[in-house]
Amino acid sequence: MVFGTIYHITYEAENDMQEELTIDILRQWNEKTADMLYNAYYRALAIFSKQIVRDKAAAEDIVQDVFSALWEKKIAFESLPQFRVYLYNAVRNRSLKYLAKTKHEQVSIDDPSTSSREFCLLPTGEEDFYSEEIYRRMILAIEGLPGRQRQIFLLAIEGRKNKEIAEVLCISEETVKTHRKRGMATLREKLSEDALLLLTILIA
């Protein structure tokens, strides 16, 4: 199974965003599972990995590899929290291995530059990595924006400046600024303080 790229979603995104990925859907491991998994986690995990490896293309490849491995193994997870812990740890570990390989040296898991720690389940059954789930919640909020605003913010969190975004979308810089201003006003109402701070850092 090959998952879509960050711009091409094989399942209808509008429908997927309305239907939450559940543990029952996850256990089916069919085409719908793959598409919902992609829509719910791909962008967030790519951003998460990029904070570690500092390379967009490498981060996307890492997440793609993790998703492909998941599809091949078809692990029977007991809960979504357990699945998310596995998912984030898999991306984290592959990202660290990438760093070790490209730097030709061992990367310490305590190195602050990795921007991550290993995740686990709390006795309550919930994930002990709220800070990383902020990535996914931020992406979901952005996905809820009107079309043009959504496009602009997704390009902005890739590190593209207003001028480049304008060129990609064939609109003026002023139009980009206007949509960003309106989008931020909406996101301020939807996002937590931590998620809003993360977004501000990513699009600065």
Side-chain angles (χ1 to χ4, degrees), residues 82-150:
Q82 182 192 58
F83 164 69
R84 286 192 289 263
V85 166
Y86 177 94
L87 195 59
Y88 276 95
N89 277 334
V91 171
R92 169 188 178 273
N93 292 338
R94 283 183 184 253
S95 298
L96 292 178
K97 287 181 180 178
Y98 171 85
L99 280 184
K101 182 179 179 180
T102 54
K103 290 183 177 181
H104 303 290
E105 61 186 27
Q106 182 63 40
V107 178
S108 170
I109 61 174
D110 296 321
D111 184 347
S113 68
T114 63
S115 304
S116 178
R117 60 186 174 81
E118 188 168 2
F119 310 117
C120 60
L121 286 178
L122 297 171
T124 59
E126 294 299 315
E127 311 99 316
D128 182 26
F129 64 102
Y130 172 75
S131 61
E132 262 54 52
E133 266 292 87
I134 287 176
Y135 289 92
R136 191 175 73 89
R137 298 179 188 193
M138 178 188 68
I139 291 297
L140 288 175
I142 291 174
E143 289 286 1
L145 293 174
R148 186 64 83 185
Q149 290 178 25
R150 180 174 65 247

Side-chain angles (χ1 to χ4, degrees), residues 166-178:
E167 292 174 351
V168 171
L169 299 179
C170 299
I171 56 179
S172 69
E173 276 191 72
E174 286 304 314
T175 299
V176 172
K177 292 177 182 178
T178 298

Side-chain angles (χ1 to χ4, degrees), residues 3-9 34-42 67:
F3 288 81
T5 66
I6 199 166
Y7 295 115
H8 298 88
I9 301 175
D35 289 323
M36 291 188 71
L37 176 61
Y38 172 85
N39 288 331
Y41 292 99
Y42 188 92
F67 278 7

Side-chain angles (χ1 to χ4, degrees), residues 8-201:
H8 298 88
I9 301 175
T10 54
Y11 194 76
E12 292 187 14
E14 293 300 326
N15 292 334
D16 263 349
M17 286 304 168
Q18 297 299 319
E19 184 177 1
E20 286 288 333
L21 178 67
T22 65
I23 190 62
D24 290 334
I25 293 175
L26 180 62
R27 287 171 177 165
Q28 292 172 19
W29 287 113
N30 54 24
E31 292 293 326
K32 181 178 181 180
T33 304
D35 289 323
M36 291 188 71
L37 176 61
Y38 172 85
N39 288 331
Y41 292 99
Y42 188 92
R43 287 191 177 100
L45 288 169
I47 294 171
F48 171 56
S49 178
K50 184 182 175 184
Q51 301 309 298
I52 300 174
V53 303
R54 305 299 177 183
D55 184 295
K56 176 178 176 289
E60 291 177 357
D61 287 342
I62 287 167
V63 177
Q64 188 83 277
D65 289 344
V66 168
F67 278 7
S68 295
L70 267 174
W71 182 262
E72 292 175 4
K73 295 178 181 178
K74 293 182 172 60
I75 301 173
F77 294 97
E78 295 181 3
S79 65
L80 282 180
Q82 182 192 58
F83 164 69
R84 286 192 289 263
V85 166
Y86 177 94
L87 195 59
Y88 276 95
N89 277 334
V91 171
R92 169 188 178 273
N93 292 338
R94 283 183 184 253
S95 298
L96 292 178
K97 287 181 180 178
Y98 171 85
L99 280 184
K101 182 179 179 180
T102 54
K103 290 183 177 181
H104 303 290
E105 61 186 27
Q106 182 63 40
V107 178
S108 170
I109 61 174
D110 296 321
D111 184 347
S113 68
T114 63
S115 304
S116 178
R117 60 186 174 81
E118 188 168 2
F119 310 117
C120 60
L121 286 178
L122 297 171
T124 59
E126 294 299 315
E127 311 99 316
D128 182 26
F129 64 102
Y130 172 75
S131 61
E132 262 54 52
E133 266 292 87
I134 287 176
Y135 289 92
R136 191 175 73 89
R137 298 179 188 193
M138 178 188 68
I139 291 297
L140 288 175
I142 291 174
E143 289 286 1
L145 293 174
R148 186 64 83 185
Q149 290 178 25
R150 180 174 65 247
Q151 290 176 320
I152 289 171
F153 273 89
L154 289 176
L155 289 170
I157 60 177
E158 287 184 8
R160 300 185 187 232
K161 303 304 181 184
N162 287 345
K163 182 177 180 180
E164 187 177 2
I165 293 174
E167 292 174 351
V168 171
L169 299 179
C170 299
I171 56 179
S172 69
E173 276 191 72
E174 286 304 314
T175 299
V176 172
K177 292 177 182 178
T178 298
H179 281 302
R180 284 185 63 154
K181 183 176 180 180
R182 292 174 180 171
M184 280 301 296
T186 299
L187 293 172
R188 284 193 184 94
E189 298 178 355
K190 294 184 176 181
L191 293 174
S192 67
E193 184 176 339
D194 289 342
L196 194 58
L197 175 61
L198 173 62
L199 175 61
T200 302
I201 293 172

